[in-house]
Amino acid sequence: MKYMIIIYDNAQMRERFSGDAALGAEVDAIIAELTESGELVGGEALADPSQTKTIRVVDGVPAITDGPFAEAKEHLGGYLMVECETPERAADIARRWPSARFAPLEVWPVMSQDGAEM
Amino acid sequence: VSSGVRVEDQLRALAPQVLGALVRRHPRQFDACEDAVQEALLAATRQWPGEGVPDDPRAWLLTVAGRRLTDAWRSESARRAREEGAAAAEPAHARVAPGADDEAVALAEAPADGDDTLTLLVLCCHPELSPPSQIALTLRAVGGLTTAEIAAAFLVPEATMAQRISRAKARIRATGTRFALPAGEERAARLGAVLHVLYLIFNEGYTASSGARLARAELTGEAIRLARALHAHLPDDGEVAGLLALMLLTDARRPARTGPDGSLVPLAEQDRTRWSREEIAEGIALVTDALARAPLGPYQLQAAIAAVHAEAEDAEATDWRQIVALYRVLERVAPNPMVSLNHAVAVAMVDGPRAGLARLEQLDERLAASHRLVAVRAHLLERAGEADAARAAYREAARRTTSLPERRYLEGRAAALV
């Protein structure tokens, strides 16, 4: 089963990570473990919200604004795509991700195109 | 194009024979041998379509694989690995790099093809490996598929699949497993694991939706091919025959199980004229023969149930009493929650939806999180005329499934009740 682990970010976290090399090393160690186990499917970090556009189409008229919700304290920071045998394993990966100490992560099962005869 | 397809089929059939011959010669080098055979298969894929298939394709592959093995041993990393690990454990003659002539001798010494296929299957389905690793290694080492093909079928990057395969091989190496069939009770248990892996491969392909997922859908053909090879080698094993029959009888429904838009068509609504008569005839013959002369087992029983469906002209003509009887036996022989759920469906077809719903009450705990239980309840509530409750149950099941086609199907049923 594939899971997307959505990693949230906030301004404080960015400061903590840049000032603490050990946190980056923790990330590297988890990525190495997931690569070795064959569970890592993909993952990326996302740019700062100021580089982001929000697009909406209202009554056929597209409206494009800078950034996501400016007032939000937390925003999308990146994601991991993993394939795990159990949801518990996916949650365990998220729990150990160092940013979990500063901002939430979410574990979402990924929909598949397969279907059984009902 | 047709010759290209033939080369591919030929290579897949030869893969376990060549690997078996190589591993018997270098018994502690399963992982290196497997890599060498894979490289030989890739070389053949590149060369044969243009230059023609060699007179003795098996000897050609074995010679090329033997050379690759020699090259690997000569390379820096292989030499280091040998110094660290294998040197102490291996007799000196096993470390001498083989020449092409040695490989030809190994081929001449080879037992009947089936022996190697069975031994390789048992090795790849080693109990120390997780099911995804067993599946990946079986498809590569016995099925002769490339890592890229397996990765495409399982919808993961090639690097991820390559890592799973090399990890699986490293684990087999670490267990020190010999390249030989186990005896007695262990043999039966290990054969059971092989059948389960082939069944999982089949299901991965069968549940794939049509169209875009072609590489994935081909897994059913691979599973049937491997089950056929196993059956050819163990013709008296009722469960091997049962599994092959179950695959054929299920695969026969494939042309009818999805609509042109990829939507799921339930068994009761399938256009049975589109079922494959050829596969049904072969499946029925296999399961009938197995039931008559082999000890009863779960795959034979599931195949027998599939055969009852296959024999019915339409859904109404289905002999549900016989299906109920078969599920009763299956629940005793191999109890599991999904069998109980299907048993409840069959009971509902004989004794009415209320009887089926009553049975579901006893299942709730074991299948609490399953969308299937809720989907079955929704169907039975609909048949019982309880539209509101059925609609709520369809929506609940739609929220629980992680399959897009199932979600669309369940939401469609809910919407039709409004």
Side-chain angles (χ1 to χ4, degrees):
Chain A
M1 185 82 206
K2 283 200 186 102
Y3 297 89
M4 183 182 264
I5 299 177
I6 295 176
I7 302 162
Y8 284 92
D9 199 351
N10 56 40
Q12 297 93 302
M13 181 148 78
R14 207 71 64 77
E15 285 165 27
R16 298 285 283 274
F17 262 77
S18 58
D20 189 347
L23 291 172
E26 278 183 57
V27 168
D28 292 346
I30 296 174
I31 292 293
E33 175 194 323
L34 298 177
T35 303
E36 201 277 329
S37 67
E39 289 169 294
L40 186 67
V41 176
E44 301 286 353
L46 301 179
D48 190 84
S50 63
Q51 306 302 308
T52 307
K53 306 272 186 220
T54 298
I55 290 97
R56 285 186 186 81
V57 179
V58 182
D59 297 331
V61 182
I64 302 175
T65 53
D66 283 336
F69 337 97
E71 70 280 9
K73 268 183 276 174
E74 271 147 5
H75 54 81
L76 216 48
Y79 75 92
L80 282 175
M81 187 75 93
V82 292
E83 187 159 83
C84 301
E85 285 193 48
T86 62
E88 290 76 19
R89 167 66 182 159
D92 186 57
I93 295 165
R95 175 184 65 76
R96 289 162 52 211
W97 196 258
S99 75
R101 285 162 237 162
F102 314 111
L105 290 90
E106 292 166 358
V107 179
W108 292 70
V110 175
M111 294 295 279
S112 113
Q113 289 287 345
D114 293 356
E117 258 166 349
M118 308 287 294
Chain B
V1 173
S2 67
S3 80
V5 172
R6 224 180 51 237
V7 164
E8 188 179 71
D9 290 346
Q10 206 171 359
L11 287 172
R12 287 182 183 180
L14 286 168
Q17 300 174 27
V18 175
L19 179 56
L22 209 57
V23 175
R24 241 176 309 99
R25 196 139 188 93
H26 313 286
R28 290 172 189 281
Q29 305 279 348
F30 172 71
D31 48 354
C33 292
E34 204 278 326
D35 280 335
V37 172
Q38 179 81 188
E39 286 177 38
L41 294 173
L42 289 170
T45 310
R46 279 192 301 270
Q47 291 180 32
W48 292 8
E51 297 169 15
V53 176
D55 292 338
D56 188 345
R58 198 156 66 140
W60 189 97
L61 285 169
L62 196 57
T63 303
V64 173
R67 269 189 220 132
R68 297 295 159 105
L69 197 56
T70 312
D71 292 347
W73 284 341
R74 283 188 185 138
S75 77
E76 184 62 39
S77 62
R79 193 155 60 237
R80 202 166 45 235
R82 209 157 62 243
E83 282 163 9
E84 283 168 4
E90 224 175 324
H93 72 266
R95 277 181 281 130
V96 175
D101 291 345
D102 296 333
E103 301 308 342
V105 172
L107 192 62
E109 288 166 354
D113 305 338
D115 287 355
D116 281 339
T117 299
L118 178 57
T119 310
L120 284 171
L121 278 170
V122 165
L123 189 67
C124 293
C125 302
H126 196 285
E128 285 279 307
L129 305 180
S130 67
S133 299
Q134 292 173 327
I135 289 170
L137 192 55
T138 297
L139 286 171
R140 205 175 101 137
V142 194
L145 271 67
T146 64
T147 305
E149 288 168 334
I150 303 166
F154 286 88
L155 313 171
V156 297
E158 191 175 339
T160 301
M161 191 51 78
Q163 189 55 41
R164 284 184 199 170
I165 289 167
S166 69
R167 184 179 150 101
K169 289 196 290 184
R171 189 163 282 185
I172 284 180
R173 193 186 175 108
T175 63
T177 306
R178 287 182 313 120
F179 183 67
L181 278 178
E185 272 181 35
E186 202 199 335
R187 183 187 148 107
R190 298 288 294 276
L191 184 60
V194 169
L195 295 184
H196 184 61
V197 166
L198 297 185
Y199 181 67
L200 291 177
I201 293 172
F202 178 84
N203 271 336
E204 288 280 347
Y206 187 70
T207 55
S209 49
S210 55
R213 304 294 183 207
L214 208 57
R216 191 163 168 70
E218 279 171 10
L219 289 173
T220 56
E222 271 312 297
I224 289 171
R225 189 174 70 79
L226 292 172
R228 228 185 251 292
L230 198 55
H231 175 62
H233 184 58
L234 300 171
D236 295 329
D237 189 300
E239 281 297 88
V240 174
L243 176 61
L244 178 56
L246 175 62
M247 288 178 180
L248 291 166
L249 289 163
T250 309
D251 197 52
R253 305 204 291 255
R254 186 139 63 123
R257 72 178 285 274
T258 48
D261 57 351
S263 60
L264 293 171
V265 182
L267 187 56
E269 292 166 23
Q270 288 176 14
D271 173 4
R272 297 184 178 212
T273 62
R274 301 184 65 203
W275 287 3
S276 163
R277 290 291 134 197
E278 206 176 317
E279 283 183 298
I280 287 173
E282 191 187 355
I284 288 177
L286 275 166
V287 70
T288 306
D289 179 60
L291 286 169
R293 60 199 191 90
L296 201 58
Y299 289 117
Q300 292 165 72
L301 285 163
Q302 290 175 79
I305 291 164
V308 176
H309 285 299
E311 282 166 338
E313 295 261 316
D314 51 48
E316 286 70 41
T318 308
D319 186 350
W320 284 103
R321 282 179 198 285
Q322 200 185 342
I323 290 177
V324 167
L326 287 165
Y327 270 120
R328 203 176 292 135
V329 182
L330 185 55
E331 232 179 345
R332 210 174 55 230
V333 173
N336 86 50
M338 283 309 293
V339 169
S340 303
L341 184 61
N342 290 329
H343 190 182
V345 172
V347 165
M349 296 308 290
V350 174
D351 298 331
R354 298 277 166 208
L357 285 165
R359 273 186 169 262
L360 294 190
E361 295 305 314
Q362 301 153 25
L363 298 177
D364 282 22
E365 229 169 272
R366 287 185 293 167
L367 279 169
S370 161
H371 68 281
R372 299 205 170 279
L373 172 70
V374 187
V376 166
R377 178 178 291 128
H379 274 283
L380 296 182
L381 286 167
E382 182 179 353
R383 283 189 46 217
E386 294 191 34
D388 288 345
R391 192 164 49 241
Y394 278 127
R395 296 225 158 101
E396 175 65 25
R399 277 192 295 276
R400 289 191 192 193
T401 183
T402 54
S403 152
L404 282 168
E406 289 176 13
R407 186 162 77 182
R408 279 193 289 270
Y409 169 79
L410 292 163
E411 277 169 354
R413 298 295 289 212
L417 283 170
V418 172

